[in-house]
Amino acid sequence: MQLQRQKESNEIAGYSPSLFLVDYNIQKKRKMEAVKTKSDATRVATKNIKAFGSTAATADLNQFTIQRRKPTAHDVEIEILYCGVCHSDLHTARNEWHGTIYPCVPGHEIVGRIVSVGSDVKKFKVGDTGAVGCLVDSCRECQYCTDGLEQYCEGGQVQTYNSVDPYLGTATYGGYSESIVVHEDFVLRMPENLELAAVAPLLCAGITTYSPLKHWKVGPGRKVGVVGLGGLGHMGVKIAKAMGAEVIVFTTSASKLEDAKRLGADDVVLSKDQDQMARYAGKLHFVLDAVSAQHDINAYLNLLRVDGSLTLVGAPEHPLPVAPFSLIPMRRSLAGSMIGGIPETQEMLDFCGKHNIVSDIEMITIQEINDAYDRLLKGDVKYRFVIDMASLKNKH
Ligand code: NAP
Ligand code: ZN
Ligand code: ZN
């Protein structure tokens, strides 16, 4: 039972350590077969659309055709205008977390225009803008779903890509595509005062930082460290600052020192410099670690005060060793946090609307996605790539 739970929570995180890998992939394939048999019997109507994705861990992303279901009674069909590029897209496209189903169409920072609605849709009408983040469905019955924590659903939430599509028995396909069809309960409303393209990254980078900052009660009187000034990190700075905290950025990139202050940080530390790091030893209440690659988390645990917490949102491919004496002498905690549920995602969007917070973006075409992934790996993005999805209509 314990093992089963562990496996489920690994599946939820999209992260399957090698111990569970074989069984995990077999389970996913069985689930796909079962859904496919059922959907063949019930003949879910579909249409073909253009998408961009990968067909193997080592392949470049390319254009191909996928099927979407036609909207059923509670569905909303969204023409995708912009889609943010999250480092999780890269981890998944390249199978760094294992368990990627190919073909894989990444993208879970989706904004667009509603082009059709099912007969029973109440929340949206044709012509409205709508947004979709990392989740497109969940069991809706377990305690976590009832509490609005669908990201931790016990029955198995459906992620926007690389989950089993409960209607078609294929993988779910994300936002690097022309359109998406989602149950209205999982479609978010965008703040009207914010620029559409720059809102897209809030759907993952925004909620993934907002949720732990709120959970660990970041606010006035709290000193907060943000580690890794990438897509998540720069949103973490803006949101923690708007919550009233004192924010210190820890970066490996000398080129980002000035930006960190411009984004709202009270101070910035070049993390390779031991003397600069020592200034904050034992001083911080909370650290948000948004680093995508191997790094020494003990260096950041050592910055925490007594009872301070470090929360990992960054999810590097390999385990991160922890020295017990980074935790024991100061009763420190090490935690993790995954995206956020639907009500909290709407709350975050409204918070960002109120505080005029958007992402700093660099717009790209879908044809530039492979270069963008290479640049992401070098930390060369200020601070989120967003794909102008009109480019998918171009011939190339
Ligand atoms: P990103 O834009 O690529 O930013 C990652 C940042 O990490 C870089 O800008 C860089 O910041 C730092 N970094 C990169 N390589 C490093 C290295 N070798 N050593 C130290 N620092 C390094 O990525 P992102 O989209 O923000 O995502 C960050 C991580 O969060 C990814 O692993 C992603 O999969 C994960 N994620 C998790 C969740 C969740 O639910 N928990 C949701 C979304 C994403 P500096 O240049 O400032 O050092
Ligand atoms: Zn993401
Ligand atoms: Zn549930």
Side-chain angles (χ1 to χ4, degrees), residues 218-295:
V218 160
R222 300 256 139 186
K223 274 192 181 22
V224 173
V226 174
V227 187
L229 199 60
L232 264 57
H234 95 291
M235 290 313 308
V237 172
K238 292 184 186 204
I239 291 170
K241 200 62 206 155
M243 287 174 169
E246 184 181 335
V247 180
I248 299 103
V249 165
F250 296 84
T251 179
T252 58
S253 308
S255 64
K256 296 179 184 173
L257 293 174
E258 271 179 32
D259 272 357
K261 293 253 174 88
R262 180 182 57 79
L263 292 165
D266 296 282
D267 197 5
V268 52
V269 167
L270 196 57
S271 50
K272 295 167 186 162
D273 182 327
Q274 298 293 327
D275 293 339
Q276 288 190 37
M277 289 293 280
R279 284 203 337 256
Y280 284 100
K283 296 277 194 311
L284 305 182
H285 296 92
F286 183 73
V287 172
L288 187 72
D289 182 330
V291 175
S292 55
Q294 295 317 112
H295 62 293

